[in-house]
């Protein structure tokens, strides 16, 4: 019997692990002797992540919730490591599967390796080169002790080769986030509420902002929002607001008739809006992937990205954090003069099947 422990710590992680669970369940139905245990570290508590959320993704409730949320980065890392070590000692496994680049990814990888348990990193090898981002530290440390890298792009493969990892450890499989997107696209739902009722396809923008470089300095945040309002020429802007951003927006009193701020939306609702938008303005990495697959223009308000394939082959452009640089990009979107999605290799909805096939061959 092969046993895999799958770790998720924050909401986006569950979109990444859902297809892996489905692929394992497929193997079980085919009579293969494999089992999995889903562990939620509790890094992010999200009231929307209730039974409905797991039902939407068609995955079981986690077998364990470690309750590792809250506190400083160090406190959270330590709390998750202590709880996960106990989890592994009580529930032995052949392999720990971690995804993405959150604190849980780092903490659970370290705890597993210190117990001499193999680690597989889904989304291994991606790099932004920006050591001011906690996520970059998490990626680098996790990759330094990983046994199996499941990568999303040739760029990630090359990053790992340059770090000296053997080809035998690197498995170019694609992107499980896109597996989920493709599986769920037929089920996208228009959000309920007055601000969504009058929206017309291709005649509004979707915006997200949460990174400190954009939202922590009040005047810079105001300048960025002003530039966005000017560049979108009065079209509605739907802005699901991260709590961190909401606090600062309140302080500077930002308001405009076409700027519609709302609570964070569910997965099916948010991606419905993205799919039908004229363009997306964001500082999130994952959204650039989804927008590219749906061929929606996307501008990223960051100075670097760990997902350069969304720029080379997708619909994303890296604008930076200077509001003055935003205007020509928004003009191109408004004029319908934006690049088209070129197709990113292996982003075909079959990534999880490839991952589980490799693991089944390795751990028989």
């Amino acid at each position: 019997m092969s046993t895999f422990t799958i770790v998720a710590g924050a909401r986006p992680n569950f979109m990444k692990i859902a297809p892996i669970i489905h692929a394992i369940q497929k193997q079980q139905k085919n009579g293969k002797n494999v089992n999995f245990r889903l562990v939620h570290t509790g890094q992010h508590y999200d009231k929307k992540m209730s039974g409905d959320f797991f039902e939407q993704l068609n995955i079981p409730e986690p077998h364990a919730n470690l309750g590792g949320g809250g506190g400083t980065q160090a406190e959270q890392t330590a709390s998750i490591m202590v709880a996960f070590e106990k989890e592994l000692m009580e529930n032995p496994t052949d392999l720990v599967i971690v995804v993405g680049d959150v604190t849980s990814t780092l903490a659970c990888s370290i705890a597993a390796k210190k117990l001499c348990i193999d680690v597989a990193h889904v989304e291994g090898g991606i790099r932004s080169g920006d050591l001011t981002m906690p996520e970059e530290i998490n990626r680098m440390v996790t990759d330094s002790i990983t046994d199996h890298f499941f990568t999303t792009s040739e760029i990630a493969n090359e990053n790992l080769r340059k770090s000296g990892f053997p080809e035998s450890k690197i498995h170019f499989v694609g992107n499980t986030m896109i597996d989920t997107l493709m599986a769920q696209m037929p089920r996208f739902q228009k959000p309920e509420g007055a601000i969504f009722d009058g929206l017309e396809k291709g005649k509004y923008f979707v915006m997200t902002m949460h990174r400190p470089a954009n939202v922590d300095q009040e005047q810079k945040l105001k300048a960025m929002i002003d530039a966005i309002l000017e560049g979108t020429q009065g079209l509605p802007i739907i802005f699901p607001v991260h709590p961190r951003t909401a606090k600062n927006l309140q302080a500077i009193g930002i308001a405009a008739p076409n700027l519609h701020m709302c609570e964070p939306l569910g997965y099916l609702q948010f991606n419905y809006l993205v799919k039908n938008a004229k363009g997306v303005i964001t500082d999130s990495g994952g959204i650039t992937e989804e927008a590219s697959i749906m061929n929606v223009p996307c501008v990223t308000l960051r100075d670097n990205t760990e997902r350069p394939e969304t720029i080379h082959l997708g619909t994303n452009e890296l604008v930076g954090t200077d509001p003055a640089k935003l205007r020509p990009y928004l003009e191109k979107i408004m004029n319908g003069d934006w690049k088209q999605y070129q197709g990113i290799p292996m982003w075909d909805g079959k990534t999880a099947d490839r991952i589980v096939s490799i693991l089944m061959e390795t751990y028989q």
Side-chain angles (χ1 to χ4, degrees), residues 127-361:
R127 298 286 184 273
S128 69
D130 183 355
L131 290 175
T132 68
M133 292 175 64
E135 296 92 337
E136 185 73 352
I137 307 295
N138 295 340
R139 293 177 201 122
M140 292 171 69
V141 175
T142 299
D143 281 349
S144 71
I145 55 175
T146 286
D147 298 282
H148 305 283
F149 301 97
F150 292 107
T151 62
T152 59
S153 71
E154 182 55 40
I155 297 166
N157 299 342
E158 194 54 34
N159 289 337
L160 292 168
R161 291 184 195 115
K162 285 176 183 173
S163 297
F165 294 105
E167 208 69 40
S168 60
K169 285 189 168 191
I170 303 169
H171 310 286
F172 178 26
V173 291
N175 191 336
T176 59
M177 192 81 155
I178 303 309
D179 288 15
T180 294
L181 183 74
M182 289 182 169
Q184 297 295 334
M185 210 177 295
R187 304 177 61 231
F188 287 173
Q189 300 167 2
K190 186 174 183 177
E192 294 181 1
I195 65 170
F196 309 112
D197 289 344
L199 295 178
E200 296 180 58
K201 182 177 171 64
K203 293 186 179 178
Y204 65 90
F205 282 80
V206 172
M207 177 166 74
T208 73
M209 267 200 282
H210 71 279
R211 295 194 183 275
N214 288 323
V215 305
D216 279 4
Q217 299 171 44
E218 291 179 2
Q219 289 313 305
K220 189 172 180 182
L221 176 60
K222 184 177 189 310
M224 186 65 85
I225 301 272
D226 285 344
I228 291 166
L229 288 169
E230 182 185 346
T232 51
Q233 300 176 26
L235 285 183
I237 301 168
I238 305 298
F239 187 8
V241 181
H242 190 279
R244 172 192 206 113
T245 313
K247 188 174 152 189
N248 293 339
L249 285 170
Q250 197 170 15
I252 55 181
I254 285 283
N258 61 316
L259 180 62
H260 304 293
M261 292 183 259
C262 63
E263 292 279 315
L265 296 163
Y267 179 81
L268 299 178
Q269 290 76 21
F270 179 76
N271 276 300
Y272 172 93
L273 292 178
V274 171
K275 187 173 189 292
N276 293 287
K278 187 171 189 68
V280 175
I281 303 162
T282 188
D283 57 11
S284 162
I287 292 171
T288 68
E289 296 177 327
E290 293 163 335
S292 287
I293 291 291
M294 294 189 280
N295 200 30
V296 175
C298 180
V299 294
T300 296
L301 308 177
R302 285 171 53 184
D303 296 316
N304 51 66
T305 179
E306 65 282 0
R307 293 167 169 87
E309 61 274 16
T310 64
I311 297 169
H312 305 322
L313 297 170
T315 59
N316 183 31
E317 289 286 6
L318 201 61
V319 175
T321 56
D322 179 357
K325 293 182 178 175
L326 184 57
R327 183 172 184 166
Y329 291 96
L330 292 179
E331 280 180 359
K332 285 184 78 172
I333 295 177
M334 293 301 295
N335 295 334
D337 185 27
W338 201 259
K339 61 186 178 181
Q340 299 294 300
Y341 176 55
Q342 301 297 305
I344 299 174
M346 297 280 204
W347 291 26
D348 57 3
K350 299 173 184 174
T351 294
D353 286 333
R354 288 189 277 267
I355 291 172
V356 172
S357 291
I358 291 165
L359 292 179
M360 291 296 294
E361 287 174 20

Side-chain angles (χ1 to χ4, degrees), residues 103-135:
T103 300
S104 300
T105 308
L106 163 74
C108 293
S109 299
I110 294 172
K113 287 304 290 181
K114 289 202 169 189
L115 290 173
C116 298
I117 299 168
D118 285 358
V119 171
H121 185 196
V122 176
E123 279 194 357
I126 65 174
R127 298 286 184 273
S128 69
D130 183 355
L131 290 175
T132 68
M133 292 175 64
E135 296 92 337

Side-chain angles (χ1 to χ4, degrees), residues 1-9 14 17-18 20-22 24-25 28 33-41 54 59-67 83-99 108 117-118 356 359:
M1 166 75 76
S2 303
T3 304
F4 305 137
T5 294
I6 304 172
V7 174
F14 284 88
I17 58 97
I20 298 172
I21 290 173
H22 298 152
I24 292 173
Q25 290 171 331
Q28 290 172 331
N33 216 3
V34 58
N35 202 7
F36 73 91
R37 184 170 172 84
L38 175 57
V39 175
H40 181 7
T41 67
F54 294 104
I59 57 175
E61 292 274 347
H63 297 92
N65 187 321
L66 305 183
F84 191 59
E85 180 184 61
K86 186 180 179 195
E87 157 70 26
L88 291 176
M89 291 173 79
E90 292 175 355
N91 300 280
T93 187
D94 296 307
L95 173 78
V96 168
I97 302 171
V98 296
V99 298
C108 293
I117 299 168
D118 285 358
V356 172
L359 292 179

